[in-house]
Amino acid sequence: MSFVAVIPARAASTRLPGKPLLDIAGKPMVVRTAEQAARSQAARVIIATDDPAIQAAAMAHGFDAALTRADHATGTDRLAEVAQQMGWSGDTIVVNVQGDEPLIDPAQINAVAQLLAQDPDAAIATCAAPIGNTQTLFNPNAVKVVCDARQRALYFSRAPIPWARDELADGQQRLAPKLPALHHIGLYAYRASFLKIFPALPVGPLEHFESLEQLRALENGYAIAVLTAREHPAAGVDTQEDLERVRNIFANRL
């Protein structure tokens, strides 16, 4: 199996301005993420950004960096431009590693690429982990996914799905025993052939209201294979508190 890893990194961030370049133990966050991706079986790791400063930082640390347009609505659109720039063949597997995941497990990158390689009818592969607490199930920032018997995604939502009708009939928030609730993990593998058509696919009402780009694939009839991990991966960096937590982890490694 051969695949490439692309790390989209845009300069704009409302909660953490300049997030990709924030320092973690002497290196920018996006570089720390790229180092983890480089420990996977990826044949190549590329940082894709709309910011020349991020491109320069990536190259200064020995990573390939592609400069892309600044007007991409989603990370998938940015990957699509990179696939076009690189002229990859349609069967090239491209793994999207989010740039704020400096603790991502390289084995998980390999696993999602392998899942797509083994499922020729799927356009995308992604990951999920069992939900074990009420807070995650009812948190709209935690995306949930439900799957069919083949472990293909049926739907992604910010709402608590599946809905345990009887257990929640009294209006209280609780996690029903043995509820097959899955927390979606934002790690994706695509075929380059799909990336090349993704930007032209119409945005449907589900993507519009949920604000989840993966629904564009489902709304247009493309299959998404889902790998269920045994446990949740290390959390990414969204807030200053997250940043300090990750900095402490790296400091204790040194």
Side-chain angles (χ1 to χ4, degrees):
M1 176 193 63
S2 177
F3 68 93
V4 295
V6 180
I7 304 172
R10 62 188 184 94
S13 174
T14 54
R15 284 187 285 186
L16 278 177
K19 183 164 68 168
L21 295 178
L22 292 176
D23 181 82
I24 297 178
K27 295 181 181 179
M29 183 190 308
V30 69
V31 170
R32 290 294 185 187
T33 302
E35 289 176 338
Q36 288 298 97
R39 294 185 178 101
S40 74
Q41 296 172 0
R44 187 179 180 186
V45 176
I46 302 172
I47 294 172
T49 182
D50 57 358
D51 187 342
I54 296 174
Q55 181 189 37
M59 296 175 67
H61 286 88
F63 287 100
D64 291 339
L67 195 61
T68 63
R69 303 198 318 268
D71 60 350
H72 289 304
T74 70
T76 310
D77 291 300
R78 195 174 307 282
L79 260 69
E81 183 184 350
V82 173
Q84 185 178 28
Q85 284 185 17
M86 300 297 168
W88 289 327
S89 64
D91 60 354
T92 301
I93 292 177
V94 184
V95 178
N96 179 347
V97 180
Q98 296 187 35
D100 56 3
E101 300 279 354
L103 298 175
I104 191 167
D105 184 355
Q108 193 166 49
I109 298 174
N110 296 336
V112 73
Q114 183 68 41
L115 178 62
L116 186 60
Q118 294 175 342
D119 191 342
D121 295 327
I124 306 172
T126 190
C127 302
I131 293 176
N133 61 77
T134 303
Q135 292 75 20
T136 300
L137 182 64
F138 287 87
N139 179 1
N141 294 316
V143 177
K144 277 69 67 174
V145 58
V146 289
C147 301
D148 65 14
R150 297 179 61 191
Q151 287 301 102
R152 296 275 186 82
L154 290 170
Y155 191 59
F156 296 86
S157 182
R158 299 182 183 279
I161 56 173
W163 182 262
R165 184 195 65 175
D166 295 340
E167 288 81 356
L168 301 175
D170 60 2
Q172 298 298 309
Q173 293 186 355
R174 61 173 63 89
L175 183 65
K178 298 183 180 180
L179 184 75
L182 294 173
H183 184 187
H184 179 232
I185 299 166
L187 177 67
Y188 298 94
Y190 305 90
R191 287 190 173 81
S193 57
F194 176 76
L195 283 175
K196 291 173 183 177
I197 65 173
F198 177 82
L201 294 177
V203 175
L206 300 179
E207 179 184 1
H208 171 73
F209 282 103
E210 293 267 16
S211 191
L212 296 173
E213 65 191 88
Q214 62 269 38
L215 288 174
R216 192 182 316 176
L218 293 185
E219 287 188 87
N220 286 280
Y222 292 91
I224 301 178
V226 180
L227 174 72
T228 301
R230 293 183 179 180
E231 57 187 32
H232 280 76
V237 177
D238 289 320
T239 66
Q240 186 65 36
E241 292 74 18
D242 293 336
L243 178 63
E244 296 307 324
R245 170 182 53 81
V246 171
R247 282 173 169 169
N248 288 334
I249 291 172
F250 273 86
N252 290 330
R253 289 178 177 177
L254 301 177

